[in-house]
């Protein structure tokens, strides 16, 4: 079923809203809702900003991080995240609870809740609210601006028809998105399996094997060594702590200070932090060299990068560990092993119940890794790289599909809640197709439905 336009339109008087069906009203949000401010008497069911998925309004699991009492809400209320509105955290409550944190709790008065929530999730509406925020680091929408937001209001019967249509159609899109997300997770698991198998079993299935003596390694080729990481290195160094390197030492030029912003993306071509030549001399023990393995040691376990040839001279910051390999292992091979479950599992065991968010030099050095001859190390690295390229391409396709589906979801909502399509003849048994003009009409220039202002 292809949806037509309404037979007659009128100018809404609002540039961003454009024309609306002739029989729809256009009025400020504050005339259609009550702003709920009543403090919650209990925290039986607290909901924080972290519990709401952006752009879908779906409620996520997890405990609240907010210590206040919050605002009492009931089923049918709409929770709008007023902090960083570009995140589009707009939840339609299905039961009572307490909104803890930066929320407006809206109780529709002469609007259907199931119509108002997707109306607010219209990318054009989110863009308008985002442009009215106050504050640079923690931008918030004021109630004055939120309440002045103009709402295109159809008759109640149409509101319910639009709500039913969007619930059905976005539900189908959300199911497709979830399928792609599951595929992405399976591809991540496959990538881990590929690495772990290659670095413990090698590439020849017919070689004799032996027990490694390490639970996380199991059996390995009989001619391979098994050694602790500390015996494979010519040096290991954690970044400077305390007063050795502080942010007030940073300047706009000089010697680079490398950190997670280089290691996580594996990009050493740019950097924003530098120290003076005399400070570089004082901290020369923390200098990097081509072939060094840098490990992000705070909050991002498993993020590893090799310092490339031609890198600008510099030092590591306190959030990195520098590993300099010896003659028995290639840095490319050791970094491959360190990205595997073989290492993750050992580190979890060695941390004895502690957090895996912080890696220390002592624990890292105690981890066992299989060590094949150099020729086999190169073969393993090349084979793993080729496999990961293939899996990465599939993952990229799935992520692209998720992006397209999210765009379609946002465009569908925009077209329906602003009256660009007439869904009064829709029923759940009919296949629906939104015209191309409607799919493209509602996204503001320079604005992404998934990420706010471009």
């Amino acid at each position: 079923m292809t949806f037509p336009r309404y037979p007659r339109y009128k100018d809404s008087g609002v540039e961003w809203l454009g024309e609306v069906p002739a029989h729809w009203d256009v009025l400020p949000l504050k005339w259609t809702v009550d702003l709920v401010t009543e403090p919650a008497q209990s925290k039986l069911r607290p909901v924080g900003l972290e519990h709401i998925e952006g752009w879908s309004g779906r409620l996520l699991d997890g405990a609240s991080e907010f210590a206040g009492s919050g605002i009492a809400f009931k089923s049918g209320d709409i929770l709008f995240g007023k902090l960083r509105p570009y995140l589009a955290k707009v939840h339609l409550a299905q039961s009572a609870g307490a909104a803890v944190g930066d929320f407006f709790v809206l109780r529709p008065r002469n609007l259907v809740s199931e119509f108002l929530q997707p109306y607010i999730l219209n990318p054009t509406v989110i863009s308008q609210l985002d442009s009215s925020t106050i504050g640079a680091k923690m931008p918030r929408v004021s109630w004055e601006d939120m309440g002045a937001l103009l709402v295109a209001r159809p008759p109640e019967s149409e509101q319910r028809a639009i709500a039913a249509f969007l619930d059905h159609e976005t539900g189908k899109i959300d199911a497709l998105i979830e399928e792609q997300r599951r595929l992405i997770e399976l591809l991540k698991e496959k990538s881990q399996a590929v690495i772990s198998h290659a670095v413990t079993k090698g590439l020849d299935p017919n070689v004799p094997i032996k027990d490694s003596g390490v639970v996380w390694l199991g059996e390995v080729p009989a001619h391979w060594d098994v050694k602790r990481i500390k015996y494979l290195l010519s040096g290991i160094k954690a970044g400077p702590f305390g007063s050795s390197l502080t942010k007030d030492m940073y300047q706009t030029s000089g010697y680079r200070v490398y950190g997670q912003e280089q290691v996580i993306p594996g990009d050493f071509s740019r950097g924003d932090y530098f120290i003076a030549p005399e400070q570089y001399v004082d901290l020369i023990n923390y200098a990097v060299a081509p072939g060094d393995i840098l490990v992000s040691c705070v909050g991002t376990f498993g993020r590893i990068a090799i310092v490339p040839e031609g890198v600008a001279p510099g030092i590591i910051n306190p959030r990195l560990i520098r590993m300099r390999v010896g003659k028995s292992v290639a840095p490319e091979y050791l970094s491959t092993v360190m990205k595997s479950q073989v290492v993750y599992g050992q580190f979890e065991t060695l941390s004895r119940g502690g957090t895996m968010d912080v890696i220390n030099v002592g624990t890292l050095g105690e981890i066992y890794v299989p060590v094949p001859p150099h020729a086999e190390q190169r073969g393993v690295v090349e084979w793993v790289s080729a496999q990961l390229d293939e899996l990465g391409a599939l993952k990229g396709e799935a992520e692209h599909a998720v992006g397209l589906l999210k765009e379609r979801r946002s465009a569908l909502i925009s077209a329906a809640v602003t009256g660009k399509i007439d869904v009064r003849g829709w029923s759940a048994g009919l296949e629906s197709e939104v015209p191309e003009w409607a799919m493209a009409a509602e996204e503001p220039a320079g604005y992404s439905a998934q990420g706010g202002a471009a």
Side-chain angles (χ1 to χ4, degrees), residues 91-314:
H91 173 62
L92 173 56
Q94 303 299 318
S95 60
V100 291
D102 285 285
F103 283 110
F104 288 131
V105 176
L106 311 175
R107 186 162 294 162
R109 202 181 326 124
N110 51 17
L111 271 178
V112 174
S113 299
E114 291 80 4
F115 171 82
L116 181 59
Q117 189 235 10
Y119 184 89
I120 297 175
L121 280 174
N122 178 351
T124 314
V125 170
I126 293 295
S127 178
Q128 291 301 309
L129 293 172
D130 187 50
S131 67
S132 68
T133 55
I134 302 168
K137 291 185 178 179
M138 303 284 278
R140 290 177 174 83
V141 178
S142 69
W143 173 242
E144 182 180 3
D145 288 322
M146 183 81 186
L149 173 73
L150 290 173
V151 177
R153 184 183 66 174
E156 183 177 336
S157 61
E158 280 183 57
Q159 292 180 44
R160 296 193 182 281
I162 291 169
F165 164 76
L166 288 176
D167 181 63
H168 184 272
E169 295 297 314
T170 60
K172 292 195 298 184
I173 294 173
D174 289 344
L176 293 172
I177 290 173
E178 189 57 34
E179 284 182 12
Q180 294 301 313
R181 285 175 171 165
R182 284 198 298 269
L183 174 58
I184 290 168
E185 290 306 310
L186 288 172
L187 289 168
K188 288 179 180 178
E189 293 174 13
K190 177 66 173 177
S191 297
Q192 269 297 314
V194 162
I195 298 173
S196 296
H197 186 273
V199 300
T200 56
K201 301 297 183 282
L203 305 181
D204 183 354
N206 299 315
V207 297
I209 58 174
K210 67 180 179 184
D211 185 357
S212 68
V214 181
V215 173
W216 279 100
L217 301 185
E219 295 180 328
V220 299
H223 64 290
W224 288 18
D225 292 328
V226 176
K227 295 183 178 181
R228 288 192 175 102
I229 284 179
K230 63 184 178 183
Y231 297 127
L232 300 172
L233 306 176
S234 62
I236 183 169
K237 190 79 171 175
F241 278 89
S243 60
S244 301
L245 180 66
T246 57
K247 287 191 174 181
D248 59 3
M249 296 165 62
Y250 292 162
Q251 53 189 45
T252 56
S253 63
Y255 286 84
R256 284 268 178 83
V257 179
Y258 293 104
Q260 291 176 320
E261 60 267 34
Q262 285 80 35
V263 169
I264 292 174
D267 181 4
F268 288 79
S269 63
R270 63 181 185 85
D272 299 323
Y273 301 107
F274 301 83
I275 54 173
E278 58 270 23
Q279 292 164 338
Y280 177 70
V281 171
D282 291 340
L283 297 169
I284 195 68
N285 288 337
Y286 301 98
V288 303
D292 285 348
I293 300 173
L294 304 186
V295 182
S296 175
C297 60
V298 180
T300 51
F301 185 84
R303 299 301 184 98
I304 297 163
I306 298 175
V307 177
E309 294 289 339
V311 71

Side-chain angles (χ1 to χ4, degrees), residues 352-366:
R352 295 181 176 86
T355 177
M356 288 184 65
D357 288 338
V358 180
I359 302 172
N360 63 67
V361 167
T363 303
L364 196 56
E366 293 299 312

